[in-house]
Amino acid sequence: MSVITKDIQSKTSAQEVLELLKEGNQRFVNQDPKSRDSQEQVNLTSTGQFPLAVVISCIDSRVPTEMVFDQGVGDIFCVRVAGNVINQDVLGSVEFACKVAGVKLIVVMGHTSCGAVKGACNNVELGNLTGLLEKIKPAISIVSNRGVAADDSRFVDEVALENVQLSLDTILHDSPVIKEMVDNKEVLCAKGMYSVQTGEVELNLL
């Protein structure tokens, strides 16, 4: 099938979804994407959608989620917000994706050289961005407490990775709906890091 059907969605495990995303990223890196008829996919999905995963990632223009995983129309939900932080609206979106639309895998994906993380590290203050960057500050504290110096070349990327973990923790803590589904093995969670240098995603189950 050129699109995900309800039958395919129901029969595909979260582990299989993870492997599909990994395979898609490998195609992206190898510059060998699947051949798709986008108009056919638009037509076939016009009456319903049955995505396999929901991916929460950064708004960074270098990280186009569907392209990175070589996915087509109707294949995955994408939630994008600077620094892939979690708020009530993101939680509601994830709850819809999982409880209503039937996805099997939640992915939070950070990336290298993240501007939001750099902004948080530099204590940037700018309108509503100030509050957003505050959500990244706990990751900075954790990385600092591990002994990584702020001027270390690894610092920003270490904070970005820790921020992914904290975002997943927040989802499970602040959404009883998702927590119950995860506890019942209906949904699995994964953490991802995208390299803006290579196009590769390191993706692992939580």
Side-chain angles (χ1 to χ4, degrees):
M1 290 291 294
S2 59
V3 297
I4 305 298
T5 63
K6 185 174 184 178
D7 186 54
I8 292 172
Q9 185 195 59
S10 65
K11 291 179 178 177
T12 306
S13 70
Q15 181 65 54
E16 289 171 329
V17 176
L18 185 78
E19 294 306 317
L20 287 171
L21 294 181
K22 287 183 176 181
E23 291 166 7
N25 179 242
Q26 194 59 58
R27 291 193 300 272
F28 173 73
V29 172
N30 293 340
Q31 300 184 59
D32 185 31
K34 279 186 176 180
S35 177
R36 293 181 172 90
D37 183 331
S38 58
Q39 188 56 56
E40 179 190 34
Q41 291 190 320
V42 168
N43 292 338
L44 290 173
T45 56
S46 63
T47 56
Q49 59 172 338
F50 305 98
L52 296 176
V54 55
V55 182
I56 302 111
S57 61
C58 185
I59 64 167
D60 195 292
S61 62
R62 299 165 296 178
V63 194
T65 312
E66 284 97 342
M67 289 180 64
V68 163
F69 290 115
D70 189 29
Q71 298 300 303
V73 177
D75 291 347
I76 59 174
F77 283 116
C78 298
V79 182
R80 299 186 66 175
V81 57
N84 41 271
V85 299
I86 307 301
N87 60 27
Q88 192 171 19
D89 298 320
V90 172
L91 285 174
S93 299
V94 175
E95 289 171 352
F96 168 79
C98 295
K99 195 69 175 181
V100 179
V103 308
K104 303 293 184 66
L105 183 69
I106 299 168
V107 177
V108 176
M109 183 172 69
H111 66 92
T112 61
S113 303
C114 181
V117 170
K118 291 177 182 177
C121 291
N122 293 327
N123 295 305
V124 168
E125 295 187 0
L126 175 66
N128 291 296
L129 180 62
T130 305
L132 185 152
L133 297 181
E134 282 296 320
K135 297 178 185 298
I136 301 174
K137 296 291 181 70
I140 296 173
S141 298
I142 292 171
V143 173
S144 296
N145 290 338
R146 282 206 295 258
V148 182
D151 59 357
D152 190 309
S153 61
R154 301 170 299 159
F155 190 78
V156 168
D157 291 350
E158 289 286 328
V159 172
L161 181 58
E162 192 61 48
N163 186 51
V164 168
Q165 180 64 58
L166 292 180
S167 291
L168 282 166
D169 291 345
T170 299
I171 291 171
L172 295 175
H173 181 271
D174 292 357
S175 174
V177 172
I178 299 302
K179 180 67 164 59
E180 181 179 27
M181 294 187 76
V182 170
D183 288 346
N184 292 336
K185 309 296 185 187
E186 298 172 74
V187 174
L188 295 182
C189 297
K191 53 195 296 187
M193 271 295 287
Y194 175 80
S195 170
V196 298
Q197 291 79 20
T198 67
E200 293 179 299
V201 177
E202 184 178 337
L203 191 59
N204 298 291
L205 289 176
L206 190 61

